[in-house]
Amino acid sequence: MVYFKKWSGNKYRAKSTIYNDKTYHSKFEAGYAESLDWMLKNKEIKGWERQVKLELKVNGFHITNYYIDFIITHLDGTKEFVECKGYETNEWLTKWRLLEATFEDFKQSPDDFMTMVKQSSWRPPIKRDKNKS
């Protein structure tokens, strides 16, 4: 008889991580927050925010909410909208493209920009053949 263990964690196997008394969706995201703290301490940036809610609207109609991982305020006042990803899903890609299309609504200066930081160490899960031992 075969027993299956139910996976109770994140469907992408990301491990929630606590850094500085805040919970992040992954170790990668928490590590990025730590690096932002170091940049802030070294006065390389003015500040940063995490999990900022952006309402995506098209022609005045609310489509969905997008929670961007980080918004960094640089020394010159420009803002950088940063998304940390280990794995790109179709749902995320659709929202990202919608954000790109409506980004002018969120910019406070013409020089504000978006960045997607991809985790290079991510690998897809290994699929094992049930018949082989």
Side-chain angles (χ1 to χ4, degrees):
M1 180 175 253
V2 178
Y3 292 94
F4 294 97
K5 180 179 178 187
K6 184 178 179 193
W7 177 258
S8 61
N10 181 302
K11 65 182 174 180
Y12 304 109
R13 302 249 184 347
K15 296 189 186 324
S16 292
T17 304
I18 296 174
Y19 166 70
N20 215 9
D21 295 330
K22 297 196 180 354
T23 303
Y24 291 87
H25 294 124
S26 67
K27 289 180 185 178
F28 177 53
E29 196 174 303
Y32 196 82
E34 184 180 14
S35 69
L36 289 174
D37 277 342
W38 279 106
M39 290 172 71
L40 186 62
K41 188 175 182 177
N42 292 331
K43 299 185 181 179
E44 297 173 31
I45 60 174
K46 268 189 191 175
W48 62 276
E49 301 171 75
R50 64 182 281 277
Q51 292 297 311
V52 179
K53 177 182 171 183
L54 305 174
E55 292 184 23
L56 300 180
K57 295 180 180 181
V58 176
N59 297 328
F61 292 98
H62 175 79
I63 304 299
T64 188
N65 291 323
Y66 186 89
Y67 292 87
I68 192 91
D69 289 339
F70 302 99
I71 296 181
I72 304 168
T73 305
H74 291 278
L75 297 175
D76 61 358
T78 58
K79 293 193 185 282
E80 179 180 4
F81 292 67
V82 179
E83 182 68 32
C84 297
K85 277 289 167 225
Y87 179 72
E88 298 174 24
T89 63
N90 288 333
E91 179 184 3
W92 171 80
L93 191 55
T94 300
K95 284 185 175 186
W96 182 255
R97 287 180 179 158
L98 186 58
L99 177 60
E100 286 178 323
T102 60
F103 189 59
E104 292 298 318
D105 299 340
F106 303 104
K107 291 172 77 169
Q108 295 175 355
S109 119
D111 296 327
D112 291 352
F113 59 101
M114 294 171 45
T115 305
M116 197 270 287
V117 180
K118 188 164 182 169
Q119 183 178 12
S120 60
S121 64
W122 182 85
R123 289 180 182 79
I126 298 170
K127 293 183 180 180
R128 302 199 187 276
D129 190 358
K130 292 181 206 175
N131 299 329
K132 292 183 180 178
S133 359

